[in-house]
Amino acid sequence: MYAGRAPSFFHGELAAIMIGTAYAAADEYARVIAARPLILEPGRTRAELHDYQRHLGEALGVIHTAEAALLRTAEEWMETCHRNATGGAPFTPADDNRLALMFLNAGRMTWDVLQGTLFRTAGSRHARDGERMQRYFRDAATYWTHVGPSMAEPLSRRVGRDRLGLPSDDIPLIP
């Protein structure tokens, strides 16, 4: 691991935290919709409605996809470290850019589904202080406002330039 580059590693850490937070939000969402009676039919819950089932299923699909991307990118990161440590090939800035962007995309996917589906459709009562869903949203929003996700555009430019064989280190990651 010490034969790797730090920026991509840091993006991997952030993505892992986001994926865990999104799984927690999905668990809370399942609990919330199963416990919430319908206004016009108090004997039924939101969990029985197709839309809420679909929201949860779509969210889980995205979270599972982000986790798979995280795990595979982490494997690639370790393989790249190993090649560097054994003299097979250096861990280049282009490798770092590519892996960082892959990790970053996994984190962005989970932010999008956490705030755009789970938090949005859980109900406003769960946005109050002290509610678990509010806490997961707040924690995820802290990630979203962190400098890491703001690197998406410059990292994308760097990856594109790396692929084209153009220098990319002149593109600042932090404004």
Side-chain angles (χ1 to χ4, degrees):
M1 285 181 58
Y2 295 105
R5 291 181 171 265
S8 52
F9 183 86
F10 294 144
H11 282 286
E13 288 182 309
L14 292 171
I17 292 166
M18 280 301 294
I19 291 164
T21 303
Y23 272 125
D27 289 346
E28 178 63 6
Y29 188 84
R31 187 192 69 75
V32 162
I33 66 172
R36 182 78 185 260
L38 300 176
I39 293 172
L40 299 177
E41 297 179 64
R44 295 178 63 205
T45 67
R46 287 183 174 184
E48 297 174 59
L49 299 180
H50 295 157
D51 285 340
Y52 290 93
Q53 295 164 3
R54 179 177 43 81
H55 293 318
L56 180 58
E58 287 177 351
L60 288 169
V62 170
I63 298 164
H64 292 314
T65 301
E67 181 183 23
L70 171 76
L71 294 173
R72 180 61 196 124
T73 305
E75 289 172 359
E76 264 190 71
W77 193 88
M78 288 300 293
E79 290 164 5
T80 307
C81 289
H82 179 73
R83 281 193 302 275
N84 188 34
T86 59
F91 196 129
T92 67
D95 293 325
D96 196 33
N97 292 334
R98 180 179 54 80
L99 294 167
L101 185 58
M102 291 166 68
F103 282 134
L104 194 151
N105 283 336
R108 288 173 63 181
M109 289 170 65
T110 54
W111 161 254
D112 288 345
V113 78
L114 193 154
Q115 63 87 24
T117 301
L118 298 173
F119 184 76
R120 182 182 59 82
T121 64
S124 56
R125 73 175 14 179
H126 301 287
R128 294 185 300 210
D129 283 345
E131 293 291 329
R132 285 183 188 154
M133 188 61 79
Q134 185 267 359
R135 173 66 188 263
Y136 299 139
F137 174 81
R138 189 184 71 216
D139 289 351
T142 300
Y143 161 77
W144 192 242
T145 59
H146 185 273
V147 70
S150 70
M151 294 180 187
E153 288 184 23
L155 270 172
S156 294
R157 284 187 59 213
R158 280 185 172 200
V159 168
R161 288 179 79 172
D162 293 338
R163 176 61 178 83
L164 293 168
L166 301 171
S168 66
D169 58 348
D170 62 322
I171 300 169
L173 292 176
I174 300 172

